[in-house]
Amino acid sequence: MARTPWELLKGSATTLRIDPHGNNQWEPSRYVDLVFSDGSHLSSDCPFLDLDQESRQVTCGIS
């Protein structure tokens, strides 16, 4: 397993995408917390998302 320094992840993003069949709608919330061996962490908080056939993807930054 390759190790990646957390400094390389800062400023990156996570993406959530749906591929609906018909008239589907998702309203998820998403929280990502990356915890590193030195005790530091980076996070991404995307509450109140709205995904449907017109808006299929959302990207949230990691800081």
Side-chain angles (χ1 to χ4, degrees), residues 7 15 20 44 55:
E7 292 91 356
T15 300
S44 175
S55 177

Side-chain angles (χ1 to χ4, degrees), residues 32-48:
V32 176
D33 190 20
L34 304 173
V35 180
F36 301 93
S37 60
D38 67 357
S40 63
H41 71 101
L42 298 172
S43 62
S44 175
D45 188 12
C46 298
F48 312 114

